[in-house]
Amino acid sequence: VYSPKYFADIGPHVFPVAKYRLVFNKLIAEAGLPHKNFIEPQPATEAQLLQVHSRDYLQDLSHCRLTERTKYSELPLSEEIVSMFALAAGGTIRACYAALEDRWCMHLSGGFHHAFRDKAEGFCYLNDLAIAARVVQQNSRLERIAIIDCDLHQGNGTAHIFQKDASVFTFSIHQRDLYPVKQKSDLDIHLPTHVADDEYLELLQQALVQIFEQFRPELVLYQAGADPYKDDQLGSLALSFEGLQRRDELVFSTCKKAACPVAVTLGGGYACNTEDTVQIHFNTCKAAIEAFAE
C-alpha cells in the first residue's frame, strides 16, 4: 500500500518524511516490483476515525487548532499534514484487508503509535494501528488481533487505547530509558541501552512464542520500526542491518507458521544517514516477499 501523497511540508525536522517515496522508488528499481503490486489507499473516513478518536479531538485537527489535545505533537499542525495522517490511517486499514485476503501486506507508511484517543503525541496525530484494528474487528468479526510493536519507542498510545480490551493484544519491545512515558501493554519488554542483535532476537522470539501460544491471533499488525538501528539519532539500541532483517524474518516466519495474516507498518526511523533508514525499510519489504513467496 502506497500513495505519492504520503508527503507533507513539516519544515526542518528529524522525521524524514521523504522516506516513503524513497522506499517505493527503491522497490521499483531494485526489487523489480511492478506498479500493479501497489495499492492506492483512500483516506480513513470520519466514521472510521471515530472508532478510536474523540469527536472534539478530530474537530481540533480538522480546524488545525492548537489546544490541550493537539499541543503535545512534535510536528506542525496544518491541513496538509492532517490529510497525510488520514490517508495513512486509510492505508493501514487497506493493508489489513489485503493481508486477510493474501496472507500479508506491506504498508509503506503508518505506525503512528503515540497518538491517544483524545490527544496527539510525538510525531503522531492519528493512531492508524488502533483505527485499523477497530475497523477490521467491526467489519471482519475478528476476535483476536495482536499488535506487535518492534519500534525503538514504546507504542504508548496504542497500549493505552486497548488497555481494557481483551480482544486486542498489545506487545512492545523498546528502549526503556527513553521517550515516551510508558503505558502498560499486555506484554512489554523494556530494553536497557546498547542491546544488540542476539539478545534482542532471543527476547523477541520468547515473546512471540508466548503471544501465539496463549493469545492465538487471527491478524497481526506488525510495527517494523527502523529506529532500533545502531546509528539512529533518537535512541541507543545497537541492532545492525542484519539483526533488523533477522527480526523481520522471525516475525514473518512465526506468522506464516501459524497461518496468521500480517499487515506491516514502517514506523520510525531516524538514522544519521537517511539512506540507512530507507535500506532497513526496504529489507523489511524483501523479508516479507521472501517469507511468503512459497
Side-chain angles (χ1 to χ4, degrees), residues 147-196:
I147 299 175
I148 294 174
D149 194 326
C150 295
D151 203 86
L152 170 72
H153 306 94
Q154 190 207 39
N156 58 328
T158 311
H160 189 267
I161 288 165
F162 293 115
Q163 271 180 356
K164 297 181 180 179
D165 186 342
S167 69
V168 178
F169 189 99
T170 55
F171 164 64
S172 183
I173 178 170
H174 51 261
Q175 186 176 333
R176 179 187 61 207
D177 300 321
L178 191 67
Y179 170 90
V181 175
K182 306 300 186 285
Q183 299 291 325
K184 188 178 186 304
S185 308
D186 291 298
L187 178 60
D188 282 299
I189 298 178
H190 304 289
L191 299 172
T193 57
H194 309 306
V195 166

Side-chain angles (χ1 to χ4, degrees), residues 14-226:
V14 71
F15 179 43
V17 70
K19 72 177 185 175
Y20 305 127
R21 172 180 52 82
L22 296 173
V23 174
F24 170 77
N25 289 343
K26 195 173 181 71
L27 286 167
I28 296 289
E30 297 185 25
L33 292 185
H35 284 269
K36 69 179 182 179
N37 282 32
F38 294 89
I39 302 167
E40 179 87 20
Q42 296 297 316
T45 66
E46 182 182 39
Q48 289 172 331
L49 299 179
L50 284 167
Q51 292 284 321
V52 167
H53 294 292
S54 71
R55 189 176 298 277
D56 287 345
Y57 175 58
L58 293 178
Q59 287 179 350
D60 285 347
L61 293 182
S62 66
H63 293 92
C64 298
R65 294 193 296 238
L66 184 63
T67 68
E68 286 294 319
R69 292 178 284 264
T70 61
K71 72 178 186 180
Y72 294 104
S73 168
E74 297 173 44
L75 290 177
L77 182 54
S78 69
E79 184 177 339
E80 180 188 29
I81 291 170
V82 172
S83 295
M84 181 181 71
F85 274 89
L87 186 60
T92 301
I93 293 168
R94 186 66 184 86
C96 287
Y97 285 129
L100 290 170
E101 294 170 7
D102 298 320
R103 300 189 295 167
W104 70 281
C105 183
M106 287 290 314
H107 181 201
L108 301 187
S109 180
F112 299 109
H113 57 173
H114 298 310
F116 285 69
R117 176 182 179 272
D118 57 358
K119 70 169 183 171
E121 196 172 292
F123 306 153
C124 306
Y125 280 116
L126 296 170
N127 194 316
D128 59 293
L129 292 163
I131 293 162
R134 281 279 185 251
V135 170
V136 172
Q137 270 186 325
Q138 183 181 54
N139 294 330
S140 299
R141 301 190 179 188
L142 298 184
E143 296 181 357
R144 296 180 306 280
I145 295 175
I147 299 175
I148 294 174
D149 194 326
C150 295
D151 203 86
L152 170 72
H153 306 94
Q154 190 207 39
N156 58 328
T158 311
H160 189 267
I161 288 165
F162 293 115
Q163 271 180 356
K164 297 181 180 179
D165 186 342
S167 69
V168 178
F169 189 99
T170 55
F171 164 64
S172 183
I173 178 170
H174 51 261
Q175 186 176 333
R176 179 187 61 207
D177 300 321
L178 191 67
Y179 170 90
V181 175
K182 306 300 186 285
Q183 299 291 325
K184 188 178 186 304
S185 308
D186 291 298
L187 178 60
D188 282 299
I189 298 178
H190 304 289
L191 299 172
T193 57
H194 309 306
V195 166
D197 296 348
D198 290 344
E199 182 180 358
Y200 183 100
L201 292 166
E202 182 179 354
L203 291 168
L204 176 60
Q205 183 173 30
Q206 292 169 2
L208 291 174
V209 169
Q210 179 180 339
I211 293 164
F212 277 82
E213 286 185 354
Q214 297 180 8
F215 185 69
R216 295 176 291 110
E218 299 167 290
L219 172 68
V220 161
L221 281 82
Y222 171 40
Q223 168 85 323

